[in-house]
Amino acid sequence: MSKDGSGGTGRRKFLQESAALGGAAALAGLVPSIALAQGARKIKIGLMLPYTGTYTQLGVAITNGFKLAIQEAGGKLSGREVEYATLDDESEPAKAADNANRIVNRDKVDVLVGTVHSGVQMGMVKIARESGVLHIIPNAGLGAATTQLCAPNIFRTSFANAQTTYPMGQVMAKKGHKTAVTLTWRYAAGEEMVAGFKDSFTKGGGKVIKELWLPFPNVEFQALLTEIASLKPDAVFVFFAGGGAAKFLKDYKAAGLKGKIPLYGSGFLTDGVLEAVGDAAEGVETTLHYGDGIDTPRNKAFRLSYAKAFKLQPDVYAVQGYDAALLLIAGMRAVKGDISKKREIIAAMEKAQIDSPRGKWTMSKGHNPVQDFYLRKVVGAENKVVGVAVKALDYPPAALCKMPS
Ligand code: BEZ
């Protein structure tokens, strides 16, 4: 294990690998033919995502988005055919390191894409740091992945958990809400979402009078909703996603709280669930880095293309998967498809400006998107964009990342 705890990963490991390849090739006078041979081999993408359980729909949307961007690029990565190795991580943290190890070291993927659940992400980050594999996170917002545990080979195309909720604390404080109750699953994502919200809500003069928790992926909300009704806060803030979000919205309405105590959250509460919940989400306001109704030609073209390909409406998860592929395309373009040039791929990915359906964004020094956060409101079956809540937000600050060299 190296001093930085990365097991000798990161930039140094890439340099060693590239130098070994380049050096041997140069000795044999073989550089051009190695490049040719590289051109013949397919690029293997490992998709380690949830395909069962509460986050199934999120894993599927990410997969669809990723494959759509590759399809739109001609089905190849700078002339190289693409093949996929897929692994269902079940949103199960206990299996995460073994699963990641399997896909990296047994299936020998060139790029590891995943995952959704922050607890699983922790295991993937460990393996990515140890192996040096190029790793793109298309959802999980685990803050440490792009701060304390950042590494040259680890990139994220989604968000940090607290980054999505910090804007909502500001919005709620500005609306004049003085007290709030928070409710979420007790795991890294829930804890970080609540922390981001509390940070800005309390700075704005608000007070969290009670934090309520339940274990992931439990959806027995009844007793907690009864407690909220008796606490009578000005507002309720929650983080739920996927199947859990749909159930929560319906239960909130059934408990008679909708219209009585205003409900807010990060946009995961209402993304990808609107068709399933009928009018239970109507009027709910959330903050997120995407909204169905972003009125740009780029977003409209993406939505049309996704709907045509999958007979489904895209959501934030589809966008994040799509952008993961756009980021990889930018890296591979810089080396004309030569995946052995990891240092150059990383440099290109660090500099990339992603022209996303969400709007253009760039990478922070910790490899997390610096992006705008929208205030959205559910109107019918749409997360309508009401405005920009915070522009170009870098939070938690990338300065917390000391990139291993
Ligand atoms: C997470 O575990 O990081 C997460 C899962 C679903 C939506 C957002 C974040």
Side-chain angles (χ1 to χ4, degrees), residues 297-335:
R298 181 76 180 102
N299 187 41
K300 284 182 182 158
F302 164 75
R303 294 192 68 83
L304 200 63
S305 175
Y306 189 95
K308 252 193 195 162
F310 305 109
K311 314 284 173 261
L312 281 172
Q313 287 303 314
D315 53 24
V316 68
Y317 311 106
V319 171
Q320 293 166 174
Y322 187 78
D323 287 6
L326 293 187
L327 180 67
L328 184 58
I329 289 166
M332 291 295 281
R333 194 172 286 145
V335 295

Side-chain angles (χ1 to χ4, degrees), residues 180-186 190-199 202 207-214 224 227-228 231 237:
V181 169
T182 64
L183 169 58
T184 185
W185 284 309
R186 173 76 90 180
E191 287 165 6
E192 293 176 2
M193 298 267 182
V194 167
F197 162 70
K198 257 173 93 174
D199 184 6
T202 51
K207 185 165 184 232
V208 172
I209 56 169
K210 183 100 191 195
E211 293 178 18
L212 299 171
W213 307 90
L214 70 170
L224 298 162
E227 191 170 350
I228 288 172
L231 286 164
F237 169 88

